[in-house]
Amino acid sequence: MRRTYVLPLLFACLSALAQDMVYQHPPKVIEEMVMAPVRPSINFSRTNEWMIELERAPYYSVSELAQPELRLAGMRINPQTYSESRQRGYTHITFVDLKNSRRYEVTGLPQNALILDTSEYPTGDRTLIAVRTDTGVYLYAASYRDGKAQPVCTRPLQATTGVWVTWLNDTDFYTLAVPSGNRQPPTHNRIPTGPLVQENIGKQTAARTYQDLLKNKYDEELFDFYFTGQLLKVTTQGEQEIDKPAIYTTLSISPDRSLLLVGTLHKPYSYVVPMHSFPTTLRIIDTDGKPVKEVLDTPTHITAMGYDTTSPYPRRHAWRPDQPATLYWVEAQDGGNPRAQKVEYADIVYQQQAPFTAEKQEVARTHTRFGGITWCDDSFALLSESSRATRRRHVYIFKPCSNEAPQMLFDLSTDDEYNDPGTPYMTRNQYNRRVLYTNRSHSELLLIAQGASPEGDMPYLSRYDIKKKKNTILWRCQAPYYESVYDIVDPVSLKLITSRQSQTHPANYYLKELKRNRETALTDFKNPYPMLEGVSKETVRYKRADGVDLTATVYLPAGYDKERDGRLPVLMWAYPREYRSAADAAQVRGSKYRFTTISYGSPVFWVMRGYCVMQDVEMPIVGSNGKEPNDTFIEQLVMNAEAAVKVITDMGVGDPERIAVGGHSYGAFMTANLMTHTQLFKAGIARSGAYNRTLTPFGFQAETRTYWEAPEVYNTMSPFMYADKLHGALLLVHGELDNNTGTFPMQSERFYQALKGNKATVRYVVLPLESHGYAARENILHLLYEQDAWLEKYVK
């Protein structure tokens, strides 16, 4: 039976007392929206002859969140299934023949199994399906032509770091299984044998405030037991164990499928960083597990604080996709810290060919941090470098391993979306690896771009002439739609698969033949939110006091007439972002033609409750003239908010006496700062935020200075320090088991205590068992109930 809420009861008890409530439901219209079925996730076969529909699983029940969970080395796992916990996954999978639209629902999977992942066979006619049951994760194979699934591996998978599948050939593959034998988990001796000691002697080892770390020897034993896997070769003849059981971090096969690159962790483990920073051994073995070469063995590393820092050890090892068995990697020339050592070239890329007996060969070098190589062949590739300090990105054309100087292709600001040319289209080579698509003379590229513009995002496909530096648009999205390129079926005939949506229609897929000016609809998903029919959606542009251009998306109730209905209560929702340029900060982002998809975190629910909703209210924090963005964080944040309040008031829509502000994570931090530094808002909703920056002393968000380098910045930005200045009513919400770096639940708990001690109007809600994002149906419905009740009482 549905529970209803009564506001006098909700707020009747004394502010100093905790309330042990039963779960409540929000108003019916909000519940119907949040529980509406979400359209399936869509994939296409590599031949683009088949479409794979994955039906998303509904929200968990809180009883599922209450299942056993271990939190070790920055990971959260289900010990019963040797898999990641809190996976939403999929419930059904259907294959659609794009030639005749016939549908084949997959059968033969275990009842009530959760589909975690798929991996298509290289032949392109069937797929592997990883499913989680009550006892573990298992692999099945299903043919596209009939949907019948059969098990292909008898062993349960080791899936604590995901499902691992690496193809050896058209039928055989490698995966990671739970080690065999009658293994028993370690037992915990609760009687201490001595104190826990950590020590640092004169070495700078600053680390951010990670969660779920190892704490003691018992945690180490659990980590070893549950994360150790056995590498398995699965063939048509059966299953073969290769290599030794270990905690694997890397598994990659060479393009000629003769060698495997494997990475494994080893002790001593760290109690201050997650597993990705643990000591690692990287090796090359053959396809039967015989050792070929040890590539490197690195100790625990903690990346130095500051812009453009990285590991001091060789990093980013990978196989060149255009050669049979050539390993390449990057080595920092500044020890991984540009502030500690000034060099002309920050990184050098090296390679070594099998059998790895020759000296390493230089591939390229970069002035700033290596960003990546888009390979084509021995004579042509793209090299990228970037700097967080300058917000610049460079892309070069270069000939690998030659003395020829790289040729600048693009010089870009990482914040400048208007001039972003897009991403080069990739095709498959003779090794079935993705490489750069270009013409024979390497003079042209096909680029797929987001198409940011003053009118919003208008994605396009273009042909870029490298010599002339001329971009010719071949196709572009047209209003009133938001349409983007999903894949290029044929780059010669310009046959594309696109995803198209509008304000009134959700994303659907189309096959477009540009040269024939023809398109075919591949899906026909309907609007899951009929209750939003008639709600208006508009992108509003305005300026803040210093002239920076801003935008926000404004939703108004269906049938609203400001002359007849008067001003509305307003709910603003935002998230601050940092920029190095006012011009870049002022760019229009997103598209007003996108379909409004509703998740539990959306503020759009309240347009159905009679509010004007301002979503994606821009809150840029700009650093210029040698200053860091956060040096003037509060001043700029207040300017942003004042401008948003002014525009919605000047439009004659918003009631300046009835405005609320809200956000999640850094948006919650923003909300608390606005309510302690302005009197603009009657109420605020702050979910899973951090409010005392001295508790994150080694950096947060884009801030790379430590507390001791910039104490005034940390203190000024901490709303905890201004708890006696809160104006309006603040609703604090936090997941009980928040795992996000920096947003410990203690942040909300201590902030609530500070506010309560200063006579503030504040409510603190802890959602049982929830992480940084919320998952359980009961918690989500109760969250919406709390937010609605708060807005109705203090704003509307």
Side-chain angles (χ1 to χ4, degrees):
M1 179 180 295
R2 181 184 303 275
R3 294 186 177 91
T4 58
Y5 64 87
V6 182
L7 288 178
L9 292 177
L10 176 61
F11 301 105
C13 59
L14 295 175
S15 64
L17 297 180
Q19 302 175 51
D20 189 7
M21 296 182 65
V22 295
Y23 284 118
Q24 303 293 309
H25 287 254
K28 181 179 178 181
V29 66
I30 293 179
E31 183 165 346
E32 288 177 348
M33 289 172 68
V34 76
M35 300 306 295
V38 182
R39 75 165 179 82
S41 176
I42 299 295
N43 294 321
F44 292 88
S45 66
R46 68 180 60 193
T47 63
N48 289 305
E49 295 176 349
W50 294 89
M51 182 170 68
I52 299 93
E53 289 186 3
L54 291 154
E55 186 174 324
R56 302 173 198 268
Y59 290 116
Y60 290 129
S61 69
V62 75
S63 63
E64 291 177 271
L65 282 190
Q67 293 297 310
E69 181 179 66
L70 292 177
R71 298 183 284 277
L72 301 166
M75 301 293 292
R76 293 186 171 185
I77 66 166
N78 183 331
Q80 295 179 340
T81 59
Y82 288 85
S83 66
E84 297 173 272
S85 57
R86 304 168 184 265
Q87 293 173 291
R88 191 168 175 185
Y90 308 94
T91 56
H92 297 87
I93 181 169
T94 301
F95 304 141
V96 182
D97 189 336
L98 295 180
K99 294 178 182 177
N100 54 32
S101 299
R102 288 180 182 170
R103 301 172 62 84
Y104 302 91
E105 184 172 346
V106 172
T107 59
L109 298 177
Q111 190 173 7
N112 299 323
L114 185 70
I115 298 168
L116 299 180
D117 204 356
T118 63
S119 179
E120 188 178 56
Y121 277 73
T123 52
D125 62 345
R126 51 186 169 151
T127 189
L128 284 178
I129 305 172
V131 299
R132 192 192 72 201
T133 68
D134 291 339
T135 59
V137 177
Y138 297 90
L139 282 176
Y140 286 72
S143 168
Y144 291 146
R145 300 194 179 279
D146 59 17
K148 294 180 180 178
Q150 295 182 337
V152 291
C153 182
T154 60
R155 298 271 292 272
L157 300 189
Q158 164 53 270
T160 52
T161 56
V163 175
W164 296 52
V165 172
T166 297
W167 290 97
L168 174 60
N169 52 44
D170 285 351
T171 58
D172 305 337
F173 60 91
Y174 296 93
T175 190
L176 206 58
V178 174
S180 58
N182 186 23
R183 304 169 69 242
Q184 296 297 321
T187 57
H188 186 23
N189 181 5
R190 297 187 179 277
I191 301 175
T193 59
L196 176 65
V197 177
Q198 298 186 56
E199 185 176 42
N200 185 75
I201 303 176
K203 182 179 180 181
Q204 186 175 21
T205 52
R208 293 206 173 193
T209 48
Y210 297 107
Q211 308 255 37
D212 300 339
L213 300 177
L214 300 181
K215 299 179 180 65
N216 48 50
K217 288 295 182 183
Y218 177 60
D219 278 358
E220 291 190 44
E221 293 172 0
L222 288 172
F223 180 66
D224 277 332
F225 183 84
Y226 285 107
F227 284 77
T228 294
Q230 173 64 61
L231 193 56
L232 211 62
K233 182 197 285 188
V234 181
T235 72
T236 54
Q237 305 303 314
E239 301 159 10
Q240 174 192 352
E241 291 186 355
I242 69 168
D243 205 29
K244 56 188 176 182
I247 300 175
Y248 284 84
T249 59
T250 302
L251 177 61
S252 173
I253 196 165
S254 60
D256 66 359
R257 306 196 182 276
S258 66
L259 299 169
L260 288 166
L261 178 67
V262 295
T264 55
L265 301 182
H266 63 79
K267 293 181 177 180
Y269 301 143
S270 171
Y271 292 4
V272 296
V273 289
M275 63 179 290
H276 62 72
S277 294
F278 285 4
T280 301
T281 300
L282 201 61
R283 297 174 292 124
I284 295 174
I285 60 176
D286 69 14
T287 54
D288 290 320
K290 296 178 182 178
V292 173
K293 177 184 175 63
E294 182 172 303
V295 177
L296 85 165
D297 190 345
T298 61
T300 294
H301 71 271
I302 301 175
T303 302
M305 296 296 299
Y307 289 120
D308 303 323
T309 58
T310 189
S311 170
Y313 307 107
R315 67 188 197 278
R316 296 185 64 167
H317 294 76
W319 299 107
R320 275 189 62 164
D322 62 323
Q323 294 190 356
T326 298
L327 190 69
Y328 75 99
W329 66 93
V330 187
E331 295 184 13
Q333 304 302 294
D334 54 9
N337 187 352
R339 291 198 300 177
Q341 186 176 351
K342 301 298 181 182
V343 294
E344 183 178 1
Y345 294 99
D347 285 324
I348 297 180
V349 185
Y350 293 102
Q351 71 173 32
Q352 195 175 36
Q353 297 178 337
F356 313 106
T357 54
E359 290 295 317
K360 65 185 180 183
Q361 183 180 14
E362 183 176 321
V363 177
R365 51 181 60 195
T366 59
H367 291 282
T368 56
R369 279 287 166 247
F370 172 77
I373 294 177
T374 308
W375 299 94
C376 183
D377 54 37
D378 280 339
S379 63
F380 187 78
L382 301 182
L383 172 70
S384 69
E385 63 176 5
S386 64
S387 169
R388 287 186 62 202
T390 62
R391 303 288 179 101
R392 302 300 301 179
R393 179 167 67 95
H394 301 140
V395 180
Y396 302 91
I397 297 167
F398 82 112
K399 183 178 180 180
C401 304
S402 76
N403 293 323
E404 296 180 17
Q407 174 189 345
M408 179 76 77
L409 184 64
F410 302 121
D411 181 0
L412 307 166
S413 163
T414 56
D415 292 331
D416 181 5
E417 297 186 22
Y418 286 0
N419 291 301
D420 187 344
T423 303
Y425 169 65
M426 309 284 282
T427 188
R428 292 188 180 273
N429 64 6
Q430 71 270 30
Y431 302 113
N432 203 23
R433 298 298 176 97
R434 297 187 72 84
V435 295
L436 193 63
Y437 176 83
T438 182
N439 57 356
R440 290 185 178 180
S441 62
H442 298 326
S443 61
E444 292 182 346
L445 299 173
L446 280 181
L447 300 177
I448 301 171
Q450 186 64 28
S453 74
E455 300 306 313
D457 292 346
M458 304 293 284
Y460 64 81
L461 171 69
S462 68
R463 179 177 286 113
Y464 187 82
D465 187 311
I466 293 172
K467 293 181 179 179
K468 297 180 180 178
K469 294 192 174 182
K470 180 181 178 182
N471 207 22
T472 302
I473 294 180
L474 305 174
W475 169 86
R476 186 161 200 163
C477 162
Q478 297 295 319
Y481 300 103
Y482 174 81
E483 187 170 11
S484 59
V485 176
Y486 175 88
D487 195 12
I488 299 178
V489 178
D490 185 345
V492 177
S493 65
L494 294 180
K495 185 183 293 187
L496 323 173
I497 293 176
T498 66
S499 171
R500 181 197 299 166
Q501 57 187 288
S502 69
Q503 288 192 10
T504 56
H505 292 84
N508 278 289
Y509 293 86
Y510 294 82
L511 179 64
K512 303 180 81 75
E513 299 174 76
L514 299 188
K515 290 188 175 180
R516 300 177 66 180
N517 195 29
R518 188 169 72 180
E519 74 172 29
T520 304
L522 302 178
T523 61
D524 186 23
F525 300 123
K526 305 300 183 183
N527 184 351
Y529 314 115
M531 65 284 288
L532 285 177
E533 185 176 348
V535 169
S536 68
K537 177 182 178 181
E538 178 186 2
T539 298
V540 176
R541 305 183 185 190
Y542 52 101
K543 292 181 182 290
R544 73 183 193 187
D546 62 355
V548 174
D549 291 314
L550 304 173
T551 62
T553 301
V554 174
Y555 295 84
L556 296 174
Y560 170 71
D561 183 313
K562 65 182 179 183
E563 302 299 331
R564 180 192 64 213
D565 302 324
R567 293 181 180 271
L568 300 175
V570 179
L571 173 60
M572 293 184 182
W573 208 262
Y575 191 97
R577 299 189 186 278
E578 300 86 355
Y579 299 91
R580 286 285 177 187
S581 155
D584 289 345
Q587 292 186 0
V588 176
R589 289 169 174 82
S591 170
K592 63 182 178 182
Y593 300 121
R594 279 185 179 270
F595 180 74
T596 300
T597 300
I598 308 294
S599 70
Y600 76 84
S602 173
V604 178
F605 297 109
W606 283 276
V607 75
M608 302 300 298
R609 299 281 284 160
Y611 291 76
C612 162
V613 174
M614 298 181 72
Q615 189 176 31
D616 298 326
V617 179
E618 289 196 326
M619 295 279 172
I621 309 298
V622 182
S624 58
N625 299 322
K627 288 188 175 183
E628 291 295 315
N630 286 341
D631 289 347
T632 53
F633 179 88
I634 297 298
E635 295 89 333
Q636 294 193 63
L637 192 68
V638 170
M639 275 197 294
N640 293 326
E642 288 174 341
V645 169
K646 183 177 186 301
V647 70
I648 204 66
T649 303
D650 289 350
M651 288 170 61
V653 170
D655 183 344
E657 299 301 319
R658 294 188 297 163
I659 300 180
V661 64
H664 188 92
S665 194
Y666 207 53
F669 170 72
M670 168 208 74
T671 297
N673 266 308
L674 286 174
M675 295 191 67
T676 52
H677 290 282
T678 77
Q679 296 186 7
L680 297 171
F681 302 103
K682 295 289 287 185
I685 299 171
R687 299 194 314 236
S688 298
Y691 310 104
N692 185 347
R693 284 302 167 194
T694 68
L695 299 178
T696 56
F698 292 106
F700 57 91
Q701 209 70 3
E703 180 58 64
T704 62
R705 296 169 294 185
T706 70
Y707 173 78
W708 297 273
E709 292 172 319
E712 69 287 347
V713 171
Y714 277 70
N715 288 323
T716 301
M717 290 180 67
S718 296
F720 179 88
M721 307 300 178
Y722 302 90
D724 59 334
K725 302 292 193 298
L726 185 81
H727 178 83
L730 181 60
L731 174 64
L732 294 170
V733 182
H734 219 114
E736 179 188 18
L737 301 177
D738 192 326
N739 66 336
N740 185 55
T741 301
T743 55
F744 287 86
M746 181 179 68
Q747 289 273 5
S748 288
E749 179 185 339
R750 295 290 187 266
F751 190 38
Y752 169 72
Q753 291 172 346
L755 292 169
K756 181 181 66 169
N758 282 282
K759 300 182 180 180
T761 300
V762 60
R763 182 176 174 87
Y764 176 35
V765 179
V766 179
L767 298 178
L769 305 173
E770 292 291 359
S771 184
H772 191 60
Y774 314 142
R777 176 177 60 255
E778 295 91 338
N779 283 328
I780 287 168
L781 292 176
H782 188 86
L783 166 73
L784 296 171
Y785 156 79
E786 291 279 0
Q787 293 181 164
D788 185 76
W790 199 254
L791 292 171
E792 291 290 285
K793 179 176 178 64
Y794 290 107
V795 181
K796 194 175 182 181

